[in-house]
Amino acid sequence: MLVLAPAAVAVAAKPKPKALQLRSTSLGRVLVDSHKRTLYMLTADGRNSSSCSGTCASIWRPAAAPKKPKKPKVAAGLKQRKLEVIKRGDGTRQLAYAGHPLYRFSGDSKPGDVNGEGIQSFGGTWYALARSGAAVTGAQAAPPAPAPAPGPYGY
């Protein structure tokens, strides 16, 4: 009797989420990580150089670069050439975009939160990043509210 082995079943591997993506928030579309958590920059950092360690890094967690691939990918709408993997002082790898080391804020509890925006601590100010890699400041975040229309008495 001839026994045939069952045919190999081809299973498509689920694609890994891109290391950097864009998400709509109350600040507009900002950079997020593969878990859709807002990413921030610190104005005190140097170009592709993190100054945040110790207590700072426990509150503002560095956006860790995945071990594989060595050069992570970005989602549509972002520029691959702006993504860098930098080496931190402790030897770990961190994502940077447009020269800004990236961090997640411990006060953001779910995707879409932007509670770290504009906080001044650890020698600088923390901002979410726009698609361009520029800081999203309050002026960019939301247009000013229109002036109220005058009441029936002209004031």
Side-chain angles (χ1 to χ4, degrees), residues 121-136:
S121 65
F122 299 103
T125 305
W126 297 88
Y127 293 110
L129 279 84
R131 171 188 312 192
S132 65
V136 175

Side-chain angles (χ1 to χ4, degrees), residues 8-129:
V9 177
V11 177
K14 184 178 177 183
K16 289 188 176 191
K18 304 293 184 192
L20 293 182
Q21 304 171 29
L22 290 170
R23 180 180 177 91
S24 291
T25 68
S26 61
L27 298 173
R29 289 176 61 79
V30 301
L31 245 60
V32 297
D33 65 11
S34 61
H35 301 287
K36 304 204 181 327
R37 300 296 179 122
T38 302
L39 294 170
Y40 298 89
M41 58 152 296
L42 174 61
T43 58
D45 281 345
R47 180 162 182 78
N48 291 325
S49 176
S50 172
S51 64
C52 179
S53 62
T55 303
C56 176
S58 69
I59 297 169
W60 298 91
R61 297 178 193 116
K67 291 183 177 54
K68 291 189 179 183
K70 270 198 171 241
K71 182 70 172 186
K73 301 293 182 193
V74 299
L78 297 172
K79 296 194 178 187
Q80 184 69 40
R81 65 181 168 77
K82 290 187 176 185
L83 176 64
E84 295 289 333
V85 175
I86 62 172
K87 192 171 183 181
R88 295 178 49 77
D90 63 3
T92 59
R93 295 168 10 116
Q94 180 177 1
L95 297 175
Y97 191 75
H100 303 291
L102 301 174
Y103 307 86
R104 289 185 327 186
F105 179 48
S106 61
D108 287 347
S109 61
K110 64 186 182 310
D113 281 355
V114 289
N115 298 317
E117 179 68 12
I119 291 179
Q120 294 182 357
S121 65
F122 299 103
T125 305
W126 297 88
Y127 293 110
L129 279 84

